[in-house]
């Protein structure tokens, strides 16, 4: 049930029975930043204490430890001119977030992908809280193996300036841009309409 905790710049490795970092019950605002978490029996960051990866939910409306914050995940990784461009998606409440990127050489990663061995960069993004959004960030270097990402709330009301951290994510959900439009029609002169040949005036309103 801890609150406002910062776990930073640690090596968390080799737990034979549990996940690397367990955040359970009603614990909240637990920030997990720039750590090396790998080689554990369970996943790297566990928000439910069940050693299983939590599925992201639409609009991130569920509750629990760290509010079961949805994880980011990549949809594209492109290496070019010595850099790596990562396109990723995120579905979290409105606010600012720090996205951290990790590479993994641990041979257990493919069967248990929820870990982050080597911190390779970060970027701050802003969520509108309206569903899945897509972002792009360029990391220095190439050959980043088995990439994983986390999201951490940027919360200036806490002592560290950060809030809840998600579990590690790998592949993200497809992002489909949409136009938030509605179209309505109305008859402006209903009293003038009664006989064949009368002229109707209709308004069409498009709202974005």
């Amino acid at each position: 049930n801890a609150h406002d905790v910062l776990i930073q710049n640690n090596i968390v490795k080799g737990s034979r029975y549990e996940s690397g970092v367990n955040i359970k019950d009603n614990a909240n605002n637990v920030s997990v930043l720039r750590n090396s978490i790998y080689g554990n029996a369970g996943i790297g960051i566990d928000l439910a204490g069940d050693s299983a990866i939590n599925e992201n939910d639409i609009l991130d409306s569920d509750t629990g430890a760290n509010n079961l914050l949805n994880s980011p995940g990549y949809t594209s990784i492109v290496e070019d001119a010595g850099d790596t461009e990562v396109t990723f998606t995120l579905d979290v409440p409105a606010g600012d977030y720090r996205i951290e990127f990790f590479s993994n050489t641990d041979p257990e990663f493919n069967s248990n992908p929820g870990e982050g061995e080597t911190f390779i960069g970060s970027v701050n993004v802003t969520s509108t809280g309206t569903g899945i959004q897509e972002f792009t960030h360029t990391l220095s270097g190439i050959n980043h193996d088995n990439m994983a990402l986390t999201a951490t709330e940027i919360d200036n009301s806490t002592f560290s300036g950060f809030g809840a951290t998600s579990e590690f994510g790998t592949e993200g959900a497809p992002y489909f841009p949409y136009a938030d439009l509605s179209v309505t029609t109305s008859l402006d002169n209903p009293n003038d309409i009664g006989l064949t040949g009368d002229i109707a005036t209709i308004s069409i309103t498009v709202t974005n």
Side-chain angles (χ1 to χ4, degrees):
N1 294 324
H3 295 271
D4 298 332
V5 175
L6 175 61
I7 303 171
Q8 186 174 19
N9 295 329
N10 298 284
I11 298 175
V12 183
K13 176 186 176 184
S15 172
R16 296 176 59 187
Y17 305 105
E18 294 190 1
S19 300
V21 176
N22 284 285
I23 304 171
K24 301 179 180 180
D25 303 323
N26 295 318
N28 216 329
N29 283 343
V30 180
S31 310
V32 185
L33 298 171
R34 294 180 64 103
N35 298 280
S36 176
I37 305 173
Y38 70 105
N40 299 288
I43 60 177
I45 301 171
D46 188 354
L47 297 188
D50 57 3
S51 295
I53 296 173
N54 291 327
E55 296 292 334
N56 287 344
D57 60 307
I58 297 173
L59 298 177
D60 201 6
S61 59
D62 51 1
T63 59
N66 268 7
N67 283 323
L68 300 182
L69 184 67
N70 279 350
S71 303
Y74 62 82
T75 55
S76 173
I77 299 175
V78 178
E79 296 179 347
D80 182 51
D83 292 325
T84 302
E85 183 181 84
V86 182
T87 301
F88 61 95
T89 58
L90 184 66
D91 182 359
V92 290
D96 296 322
Y97 293 83
R98 174 185 170 96
I99 308 300
E100 293 195 340
F101 302 83
F102 299 83
S103 65
N104 291 272
T105 59
D106 182 1
E108 296 295 325
F109 180 86
N110 288 328
S111 60
N112 187 20
E115 297 193 292
E117 181 178 357
T118 303
F119 173 77
I120 54 177
S122 67
V123 64
N124 292 346
V125 301
T126 299
S127 167
T128 60
T130 55
I132 295 175
Q133 291 177 258
E134 188 174 70
F135 304 91
T136 299
H137 179 63
T138 300
L139 297 165
S140 298
I142 60 174
N143 299 324
H144 299 306
D145 296 324
N146 300 319
M147 192 175 295
L149 303 80
T150 60
T152 300
E153 298 170 331
I154 297 175
D155 185 350
N156 294 324
S157 69
T158 66
F159 82 94
S160 66
F162 293 97
T165 295
S166 72
E167 294 182 351
F168 286 101
T170 52
E171 294 186 6
Y175 172 71
F176 301 102
Y178 61 90
D180 191 10
L181 301 176
S182 64
V183 179
T184 59
T185 61
S186 61
L187 178 63
D188 294 341
N189 60 334
N191 295 328
D192 296 337
I193 306 301
L195 300 174
T196 300
D198 288 342
I199 297 175
T201 303
I202 297 174
S203 294
I204 300 174
T205 304
V206 179
T207 303
N208 186 349

